[in-house]
Structure formats: C-alpha cells, structure tokens
Amino acid sequence: MSLLKIFDIAGSAMVAQSQKMQMHASNLANTDSLINKNGKLYPYIAKKAILKYDNLDDTELGGGVKIKEIINDTTPLKSIYDPQSPISDSNGFAKISNVNVITETISAISASRNYQANLEILNTAKSMIMKTLSMGQ
C-alpha cells in the first residue's frame, strides 16, 4: 500500500463527512418547514445518509467511503394539537416533521469529529513524507 493512498482514503472520508454535515444542517434548518406539493402542504421529512465502502482500487488493503444515497427517514411524523396550523385536520391535529433536534445535533457533532480525525491523518501522513524526504539531506 502506497503512503500516498492515505490521501485518497482520508479525502474520501472528508468528502462523505462534509456531505453528512450538510444533510444534518438541512434537517435542522427545515424542522419547522412545510413543503408545498401540488397545492397541498406537507411537513418536512428528515433525510438520512447511507455510507458505502468504496474500494478505490482493487487491492485488499482498504479503500475509502462515499455516500451511497440520501433517503427519507421512516420515523413516523409527530402529531400535535394545533388547530391554527394550515395542515391541521378537522380535529385540530397537525402532523409535524420527524426531525429529532437532539439526534441531528449529536450526529452533526459526530460527523464533524470524523472530519477532524481524517484531517489529522492527512497532516500525519504529510509529516511522515516530509521527514522521509529530509532523511537524505
């Protein structure tokens, strides 16, 4: 395994974690949003990222990671009593988003920490290469 492959692996992880952080930010930003589809309002449905192992080249010593797909969260929508809501039913109950603010915040922090760990790997690999190059001087 080439030392340079570390840059590809850590880089792919940083891209994936960055996309996850964007998805969590979108979920948090749209917690109270309503979506207009065909003239009818619907609550925002949380998104989830599915990560996939990405064998960068066909070696057995590892590969990177990438976002396989972004799917809708299947957690049921919450129902609250709010007769003033534009989406409430005849009994005054409205379905609201299934975004869990605490879970989204923790997941965003986790993605941020993973990003930082991969950045540290890049810095360590760069330091190793620089020390190797300076051995001949």
Side-chain angles (χ1 to χ4, degrees):
M1 180 170 155
S2 167
L3 188 59
L4 297 177
K5 189 174 178 185
I6 292 172
F7 291 107
D8 295 334
I9 295 170
S12 72
M14 290 173 66
V15 169
Q17 296 303 327
S18 175
Q19 290 173 336
K20 277 186 70 177
M21 289 189 331
Q22 290 176 17
M23 182 203 59
H24 293 303
S26 175
N27 283 344
L28 288 171
N30 291 300
T31 299
D32 296 326
S33 297
L34 296 175
I35 298 171
N36 187 353
K37 284 184 185 174
N38 302 327
K40 189 172 179 185
L41 296 174
Y42 297 94
Y44 176 80
I45 296 177
K47 308 289 187 235
K48 293 176 80 175
I50 306 295
L51 298 178
K52 176 183 173 188
Y53 172 76
D54 184 20
N55 195 359
L56 300 171
D57 55 10
D58 292 328
T59 62
E60 61 187 45
L61 293 177
V65 64
K66 67 180 180 181
I67 298 280
K68 179 180 177 188
E69 62 182 325
I70 304 271
I71 61 171
N72 286 334
D73 189 352
T74 58
T75 304
L77 297 173
K78 301 170 196 165
S79 183
I80 61 167
Y81 182 72
D82 185 7
Q84 304 301 322
S85 173
I87 59 171
S88 62
D89 60 14
S90 60
N91 296 324
F93 287 94
K95 298 281 187 187
I96 61 171
S97 176
N98 59 354
V99 173
N100 184 329
V101 174
I102 295 170
T103 302
E104 291 296 328
T105 304
I106 291 171
S107 296
I109 291 170
S110 175
S112 173
R113 296 286 165 89
N114 287 337
Y115 185 91
Q116 290 173 349
N118 282 289
L119 184 60
E120 188 61 34
I121 288 171
L122 285 180
N123 286 331
T124 301
K126 177 184 165 192
S127 175
M128 290 172 60
I129 290 171
M130 295 305 289
K131 286 184 180 181
T132 301
L133 291 174
S134 69
M135 286 176 64
Q137 297 177 350

